[in-house]
Amino acid sequence: MKNTPKTLALLGEDAARFIAKDKKMFIDGAWCPAAGGSVIEVEDPATGQMFDRVPRGLAADVDLAVAAARAAFDEGPWGQMSPAERGKLVWKLGDLVEAHADELAQLEALDNGKPVTDARIGDVAFSYELLRYMAGWSTKITGQTIPLSAEAPFHAYTLREAVGVCGQIVPWNFSFMMAVWKVAPALAAGCTIVLKPAEQTPLTALRFAELVEEAGFPKGVFNVVTGYGHEAGAALAAHPDVDKIAFTGSTEVGRKILDAAQGNLKKVSLELGGKSPMIVFPDADPDVAIPAIGYGIFYNMGQTCTAGTRLYIHKDIAPVILEGLKTFAENMTVGVGLDPATQIGPLVSKEQFDKVLGYIEAGLADGATLLCGGTQVGEEGYFIAPTILTETKPHMSVVCEEIFGPVLSVATFDDDGFEEIVKEANASVYGLAGSVFTRDISRAHQVARKLKAGTIGINTHHVIDPALPFGGFKQSGWGREQGYEAILLYTEVKSVGVAL
């Protein structure tokens, strides 16, 4: 029997109807249980109660899904479709996501704990716009005519073709949006897919599969296997008939993906961890900087790879910025994700909750000062108050390591420390994002050039758009998602020479 946490009463009819269904995996256009018959319990992080079950896919299920994707790519109608037909299907899928946006946002808020308002206007809205954006690329994937350097009488050109069967493994923090980030360009390019959602948040992937089915994609083009990372995910990453693996998650697991992919040297793209710096200069506008920094760290409860977890403030403006951030943090509404008034929901799991509290305790033990937060909120669920730690030092774990929670570490600098603070901002194994707050446009561009990260915000932090490439330097990953760069991830170049 499924439990019925009180949060389920906040669901709309469509979302409640989906939760009431028995869940199955989507393989080769059909819905099926796991071959082994086992299930994974799905937990509501706002209450800590189990409320649903999904199949526990194993290597045998991955084999079936990959075989279906291989047949669809090599032999099915998908490969015979014109780019225009393919693009129309992807666009139609975007329309279906928009039509069911409220339902998808509620499922994401229930499954992950994030505020439903953020899920609706952020995750889901971005996803259907991304599907439409990528649908447009279907007809614009081109090669080149190449003038050869040699004098041989050749006509030479290149083709850009779909890479093949793609295994896609997505995380729990943006489970629906990260799935669409990977699925949309892969479909636009003509690939076939086996998607493995995070075991903590599998529901929107299964609902998305229903929409793929409704859109009319040929069987085998899109498949979903639910399961644990060390079982289904590992089998997918190592599968000899998968041509490419795309993964978003921790750097630690990213290394395991690389090891698994060695067998057939499959293509790999990785979007991994981050420890993003935010630098505030003395001429920054506090009315601009304070909310941007606040959302930069506390959005999605800090469970964001680009979260601005390290704040460096010039000492002249530090009192104003810190007082404003303290007020910002203490005024955020902490509550159940399905409540539209909520701004901070629970962390995704007990494991993550304990990990984040452990980092806060370690930071205080290392000498940091607690400005606000630092405690559990309520007696049930995995809620942590937005937390700000000041007087942090570079050696502290809260400064060096990815916390993935609503915890901001703060340090100050003075005029003589300008160059040093940029070096300190870069002194991380990660390089995913960063931001600069100043009214000096020359300084802004200079610092943006010096920061070693894939995305830089100036007087803002989270910078994201379907057309803007996204990815990291250093141990934050390989490759770029979004924009035409994403199409490049899912295609191969073939050179053709014709003797004249």
Side-chain angles (χ1 to χ4, degrees), residues 12 34 38 53 59 75 106 108 129 155 249 255 264 370 380 394 438 482 494:
S38 297
R53 295 183 178 91
E75 305 160 13
Q106 288 185 354
E108 195 79 331
E129 293 300 345
H155 169 57
R255 291 190 178 95
N264 66 339
L370 182 67
E380 67 174 359
T438 179
Q482 317 307 323
K494 177 185 291 181

Side-chain angles (χ1 to χ4, degrees), residues 131-169:
L131 283 160
R132 290 168 178 153
Y133 173 86
M134 289 298 172
W137 276 116
S138 294
T139 55
K140 301 170 187 66
I141 301 172
T142 62
Q144 295 178 299
T145 300
I146 308 294
L148 298 183
S149 299
E151 295 181 359
F154 278 89
H155 169 57
Y157 60 94
T158 62
L159 300 171
R160 184 166 288 279
E161 300 178 345
V163 72
V165 176
C166 299
Q168 301 181 325
I169 302 173

Side-chain angles (χ1 to χ4, degrees), residues 293-313:
I293 294 166
Y295 285 115
I297 176 58
F298 298 130
Y299 182 73
N300 201 42
M301 299 75 75
Q303 297 172 139
T304 307
C305 52
T306 55
T309 56
R310 295 182 291 147
L311 178 61
Y312 301 102
I313 320 174

Side-chain angles (χ1 to χ4, degrees), residues 163 165-169 182 194 196 232-239 242-248 254 257-258 260-262 264 266-270 478 489-490:
V163 72
V165 176
C166 299
Q168 301 181 325
I169 302 173
K182 289 172 172 48
V194 178
K196 208 294 285 184
L236 185 59
H239 203 287
V242 170
D243 300 302
K244 172 183 170 55
I245 196 79
F247 171 77
T248 295
I257 296 289
L258 285 177
Q262 290 183 45
N264 66 339
K266 56 175 62 67
K267 306 295 182 184
V268 177
S269 57
L270 303 168
W478 291 355
L489 288 181
Y490 291 96

Side-chain angles (χ1 to χ4, degrees), residues 4 15 19 34 80 101 121 149 178 190 274 305 339 427:
T4 54
I19 293 299
Q80 306 305 313
I121 66 176
S149 299
M178 290 294 103
C305 52
D339 184 343

Side-chain angles (χ1 to χ4, degrees), residues 206-494:
L206 294 175
R207 184 67 183 99
F208 186 54
E210 292 182 344
L211 299 181
V212 170
E213 185 178 30
E214 184 177 345
F217 283 80
K219 70 176 186 176
V221 170
F222 179 74
N223 308 271
V224 177
V225 175
T226 52
Y228 289 108
H230 67 281
E231 295 175 340
L236 185 59
H239 203 287
D241 216 17
V242 170
D243 300 302
K244 172 183 170 55
I245 196 79
F247 171 77
T248 295
S250 71
T251 299
E252 177 187 3
V253 177
R255 291 190 178 95
K256 295 179 180 179
I257 296 289
L258 285 177
D259 288 342
Q262 290 183 45
N264 66 339
L265 294 179
K266 56 175 62 67
K267 306 295 182 184
V268 177
S269 57
L270 303 168
E271 198 267 281
L272 306 174
K275 193 69 181 174
S276 302
M278 301 184 287
I279 304 176
V280 184
F281 289 97
D283 64 335
D285 183 346
D287 291 337
V288 171
I290 289 167
I293 294 166
Y295 285 115
I297 176 58
F298 298 130
Y299 182 73
N300 201 42
M301 299 75 75
Q303 297 172 139
T304 307
C305 52
T306 55
T309 56
R310 295 182 291 147
L311 178 61
Y312 301 102
I313 320 174
H314 191 280
K315 66 178 183 179
D316 290 349
I317 199 173
V320 173
I321 296 294
L322 289 177
E323 183 60 32
L325 285 173
K326 182 175 184 290
T327 300
F328 182 96
E330 291 178 342
N331 287 338
M332 295 191 84
T333 302
V334 180
V336 173
L338 284 167
D339 184 343
T342 291
Q343 294 172 296
I344 291 280
L347 299 189
V348 73
S349 66
K350 180 67 161 55
E351 178 184 9
Q352 192 66 17
F353 173 83
D354 290 340
K355 175 184 173 185
V356 172
L357 284 180
Y359 270 111
I360 294 171
E361 292 172 3
L364 296 175
D366 287 342
T369 299
L370 182 67
L371 182 66
C372 64
T375 60
Q376 180 178 4
V377 178
E379 297 181 355
E380 67 174 359
Y382 309 127
F383 299 90
I384 294 178
T387 300
I388 301 175
L389 299 174
T390 62
E391 301 179 62
T392 63
K393 305 300 180 185
H395 69 276
M396 295 180 180
S397 61
V398 292
V399 176
C400 300
E401 300 174 18
E402 187 176 39
I403 300 173
F404 232 57
V407 182
L408 177 65
S409 66
V410 183
T412 59
F413 65 98
D414 56 27
D415 291 334
D416 294 334
F418 163 64
E419 293 292 340
E420 289 304 313
I421 211 64
V422 175
K423 290 180 181 178
E424 190 172 327
N426 285 331
S428 171
V429 298
Y430 301 112
L432 192 57
S435 53
V436 185
F437 294 87
T438 179
R439 301 186 213 207
D440 184 334
I441 194 66
S442 295
R443 173 186 280 163
H445 286 297
Q446 289 169 354
V447 176
R449 283 178 176 267
K450 291 180 178 180
L451 288 175
K452 296 178 181 178
T455 300
I456 306 298
I458 296 176
N459 294 321
T460 187
H461 185 71
H462 293 299
V463 180
I464 182 174
D465 186 89
L468 193 65
F470 178 90
F473 290 17
K474 298 187 279 187
Q475 293 184 32
S476 285
W478 291 355
R480 293 294 182 269
E481 298 182 302
Q482 317 307 323
Y484 186 60
E485 296 286 334
I487 296 294
L488 301 182
L489 288 181
Y490 291 96
T491 52
E492 296 261 39
V493 174
K494 177 185 291 181

Side-chain angles (χ1 to χ4, degrees), residues 36-243:
S38 297
V39 296
I40 296 173
E41 294 186 342
V42 182
E43 184 184 53
D44 172 14
T47 63
Q49 287 185 289
M50 184 275 290
F51 70 93
D52 209 345
R53 295 183 178 91
V54 298
R56 180 179 176 176
L58 301 174
D61 303 289
V62 171
D63 287 343
L64 291 173
V66 172
R70 173 56 61 196
F73 184 79
D74 290 343
E75 305 160 13
W78 183 240
Q80 306 305 313
M81 278 189 182
S82 70
E85 291 175 308
R86 198 166 63 238
K88 286 177 183 178
L89 277 178
V90 178
W91 189 285
K92 183 177 180 181
L93 183 56
D95 287 346
L96 286 170
V97 170
E98 183 174 22
H100 295 274
D102 290 339
E103 174 192 357
L104 289 164
Q106 288 185 354
L107 292 174
E108 195 79 331
L110 174 64
D111 209 6
N112 166 276
K114 69 176 57 190
V116 68
T117 304
D118 290 349
R120 176 63 182 84
I121 66 176
D123 304 39
V124 180
F126 187 94
S127 295
Y128 58 69
E129 293 300 345
L130 178 62
L131 283 160
R132 290 168 178 153
Y133 173 86
M134 289 298 172
W137 276 116
S138 294
T139 55
K140 301 170 187 66
I141 301 172
T142 62
Q144 295 178 299
T145 300
I146 308 294
L148 298 183
S149 299
E151 295 181 359
F154 278 89
H155 169 57
Y157 60 94
T158 62
L159 300 171
R160 184 166 288 279
E161 300 178 345
V163 72
V165 176
C166 299
Q168 301 181 325
I169 302 173
V170 297
W172 47 257
N173 59 332
F174 292 92
S175 47
F176 181 71
M177 188 171 75
M178 290 294 103
V180 175
W181 275 35
K182 289 172 172 48
V183 169
L187 291 177
C191 298
T192 57
I193 295 163
V194 178
L195 176 70
K196 208 294 285 184
E199 58 266 25
Q200 299 92 338
T201 55
L203 298 181
T204 48
L206 294 175
R207 184 67 183 99
F208 186 54
E210 292 182 344
L211 299 181
V212 170
E213 185 178 30
E214 184 177 345
F217 283 80
K219 70 176 186 176
V221 170
F222 179 74
N223 308 271
V224 177
V225 175
T226 52
Y228 289 108
H230 67 281
E231 295 175 340
L236 185 59
H239 203 287
D241 216 17
V242 170
D243 300 302

